[in-house]
Amino acid sequence: MEKKDFEAWLDNISITFLSLTDLQKNETLDHLISLSGAVQLRHLSNNLEILLKRDFLKLLPLELSFYLLKWLDPQTLLTCCLVSKQWNKVISACTEVWQTACKNLGWQIDDSVQDPLHWKKVYLKAILRMKQLKDHEAFETSSLIGHSARVYALYYKDGLLCTGSDDLSAKLWDVSTVACWEWSSGAKTQHFRGHTGAVFSVDYNDELDILVSGSADFTVKVWALSTGTCLNTLTGHTEWVTKVVLQKCKVKSLMHSPGDYILLSADKYEIKIWPIGREINCKCLKTLSVSEDRSISLQPRLHFDGKYIVCSSALGLYQWDFASYDILRVIKPPDFSNVSLLGFGEIFALLFDNRYLYIMDLRTEKLISRWPLPEYRKSKRGSSFLAGEMSWLNGLNGQNDMGLVFATSMPDHSIHLVLWKEHG
């Protein structure tokens, strides 16, 4: 048949085919297939695969593919990665999707990382760590043995744990290697005398050359760090001062500016705020409490990061905005009456009671993990236990979930440690 005649015939056949019902079209195709040879069947097979199995991720522009992928949840995306090498390559390079997934898990995002495949790897690491937390398998325990009497004081910084005991010794421990240095025969570097009651809390700042201390004599003293001279005694508390915190302010208000040094002192019922700078004489800026009639007491733990003040009470966790001194929220987990605050961040909070160590997701105010604790020594002033590394409370990043989480002194004079378990 000549080409011109064939084209005319094909047009007539096409018009007639389009007028048929679906059943008639199917019967027509079946008849044509039965009349086809190997060449025609191979042609059908190749073209049908292209028509019926169109790889949209391969055909679409990359930007449009990324837009569509954002509507899928991470677990579905991981399944899609198994479809083909091309799908795995495109999905793994969708940085925004994996960054969002990591943020939703409480992971910190470093925008300076340029590797497009980096964030999928981070998500896989994050999902493993969060599963360990959910299954209560993220931590492990250890003990430090060396004191021969009760351990009353603990202090932790940069991987080193300092302990003070009734055996008249202070020991410095490397919690990663359990190495210990004895301080009982060390040279005295400075002595601060002046309180008439037990000292429950200290903090210091090298830049200001200041050390502050809170005592059972109801006072806070400000000392020259280099000379040991008492510069000022701050009065106004009517209970033991169980916690002092010296921190740089990060927000502006009528009473302070960013960069100003602020001292917080807490007793059983009140938190007092003092300006501390080059001028040592200062007056209390504000007194915070959770009940005017002192019917609700504060626990001897206090968090201040320059923007927010957080303290726990029998009613829950109270969070104040440092710029306005307004209470932003009260977090009330189940059975909070015996729960104490250890650490507070942007994403997580670390809490504990007589039986467990808890991690709370502050975005949902729900407990996401717990870890059993032994019968540790109880201390009303809160000096027999402490939190370890706390940068992870602002979001995990795969590097800050290691080292010490919690330490407490035990009745047998040892120190019980809770440590991050290494990634599986």
Side-chain angles (χ1 to χ4, degrees):
M1 186 181 291
E2 295 292 333
K3 182 178 180 181
K4 185 176 181 181
D5 294 335
F6 172 74
E7 290 177 349
W9 173 83
L10 188 59
D11 287 339
N12 291 329
I13 289 293
S14 298
I15 294 171
T16 304
F17 183 79
L18 291 173
S19 67
L20 300 176
T21 65
D22 286 340
L23 181 61
Q24 291 170 333
K25 288 178 181 178
N26 291 342
E27 290 179 359
T28 303
L29 290 174
D30 289 340
H31 182 68
L32 290 173
I33 290 172
S34 67
L35 298 175
S36 301
V39 175
Q40 289 75 43
L41 292 175
R42 187 181 307 111
H43 177 76
L44 276 173
S45 176
N46 292 337
N47 283 277
L48 283 173
E49 184 174 4
I50 294 173
L51 291 171
L52 299 178
K53 299 180 180 179
R54 304 193 72 177
D55 191 339
F56 69 92
L57 279 187
K58 189 175 182 180
L59 298 174
L60 287 175
L62 198 58
E63 294 79 5
L64 189 53
S65 295
F66 286 167
Y67 176 78
L68 293 175
L69 292 172
K70 287 192 295 185
W71 296 93
L72 299 178
D73 64 271
Q75 290 302 314
T76 301
L77 289 174
L78 289 176
T79 303
C80 292
C81 287
L82 304 176
V83 171
S84 67
K85 289 183 178 179
Q86 178 66 21
W87 278 43
N88 183 51
K89 182 179 179 181
V90 172
I91 294 171
S92 298
C94 191
T95 301
E96 185 178 352
V97 166
W98 298 114
Q99 283 187 339
T100 301
C102 290
K103 285 181 180 178
N104 291 338
L105 289 176
W107 227 251
Q108 292 181 5
I109 302 300
D110 183 358
D111 294 323
S112 65
V113 178
Q114 299 298 320
D115 181 5
L117 303 180
H118 171 76
W119 291 108
K120 180 191 170 188
K121 298 175 185 176
V122 172
Y123 174 77
L124 293 173
K125 192 173 186 179
I127 202 71
L128 172 61
R129 179 57 94 192
M130 299 310 292
K131 184 179 185 302
Q132 289 177 335
L133 286 170
K134 182 180 178 181
D135 296 340
H136 317 307
E137 296 176 350
F139 304 134
E140 58 189 5
T141 59
S142 182
S143 294
L144 303 177
I145 300 173
H147 285 292
S148 59
R150 289 178 295 181
V151 177
Y152 270 118
L154 296 95
Y155 182 80
Y156 179 82
K157 188 175 183 179
D158 298 333
L160 299 177
L161 177 67
C162 180
T163 58
S165 168
D166 266 354
D167 62 11
L168 306 183
S169 72
K171 296 180 184 293
L172 188 65
W173 310 80
D174 185 331
V175 296
S176 61
T177 63
V178 199
C180 176
W181 294 271
E182 176 68 62
W183 279 1
S184 59
S185 59
K188 182 177 68 177
T189 57
Q190 199 52 263
H191 209 159
F192 304 90
R193 288 189 176 276
H195 281 295
T196 57
V199 175
F200 294 146
S201 179
V202 297
D203 201 354
Y204 67 93
N205 182 275
D206 289 315
E207 180 184 347
L208 295 177
D209 189 35
I210 282 177
L211 180 142
V212 292
S213 57
S215 169
D217 62 11
F218 304 167
T219 69
V220 177
K221 288 187 179 291
V222 182
W223 313 82
L225 187 60
S226 56
T227 64
T229 304
C230 182
L231 303 174
N232 200 0
T233 298
L234 309 180
T235 59
H237 284 284
T238 57
E239 299 283 342
W240 292 358
V241 182
T242 55
K243 188 68 176 179
V244 291
V245 177
L246 188 58
Q247 176 67 282
K248 188 177 287 188
C249 175
K250 297 179 182 178
V251 293
K252 182 176 180 59
S253 78
L254 293 175
M255 298 184 180
H256 43 69
S257 301
D260 293 345
Y261 279 95
I262 300 295
L263 167 64
L264 265 61
S265 58
D267 62 32
K268 188 176 181 180
Y269 300 107
E270 296 178 337
I271 301 169
K272 291 187 178 294
I273 301 170
W274 316 80
I276 295 289
R278 299 296 176 185
E279 68 292 342
I280 302 303
N281 295 320
C282 59
K283 295 182 179 180
C284 180
L285 295 176
K286 186 74 174 178
T287 299
L288 306 177
S289 64
V290 296
S291 60
E292 295 183 0
D293 60 357
R294 296 197 167 195
S295 59
I296 303 171
S297 61
L298 302 175
Q299 297 176 356
R301 310 297 299 174
L302 183 65
H303 169 86
F304 177 51
D305 62 1
K307 296 187 294 184
Y308 305 106
I309 301 170
V310 184
C311 192
S312 56
S313 74
L315 294 183
L317 283 177
Y318 281 78
Q319 182 181 19
W320 288 268
D321 175 45
F322 191 58
S324 63
Y325 302 130
D326 292 333
I327 295 177
L328 294 179
R329 59 175 171 171
V330 181
I331 303 172
K332 299 180 180 181
D335 191 24
F336 201 90
S337 57
N338 295 317
V339 176
S340 297
L341 174 70
L342 278 169
F344 194 94
E346 296 175 5
I347 306 294
F348 303 110
L350 186 63
L351 314 167
F352 77 114
D353 61 16
N354 294 336
R355 298 183 301 159
Y356 293 101
L357 189 68
Y358 301 98
I359 295 178
M360 174 186 285
D361 188 329
L362 292 171
R363 298 167 299 178
T364 61
E365 299 185 4
K366 293 183 178 179
L367 301 176
I368 62 170
S369 186
R370 71 180 187 185
W371 185 260
L373 295 176
E375 287 289 333
Y376 57 88
R377 269 195 66 245
K378 308 301 188 295
S379 169
K380 291 183 178 180
R381 57 197 171 111
S383 61
S384 62
F385 45 80
L386 54 72
E389 304 288 347
M390 289 198 289
S391 62
W392 63 272
L393 295 174
N394 292 322
L396 295 159
N397 62 15
Q399 303 296 324
N400 56 10
D401 52 342
M402 58 181 64
L404 184 65
V405 179
F406 174 77
T408 184
S409 58
M410 301 295 292
D412 63 359
H413 317 321
S414 66
I415 298 98
H416 179 80
L417 307 180
V418 178
L419 307 157
W420 281 104
K421 187 182 292 183
E422 291 187 10
H423 284 278

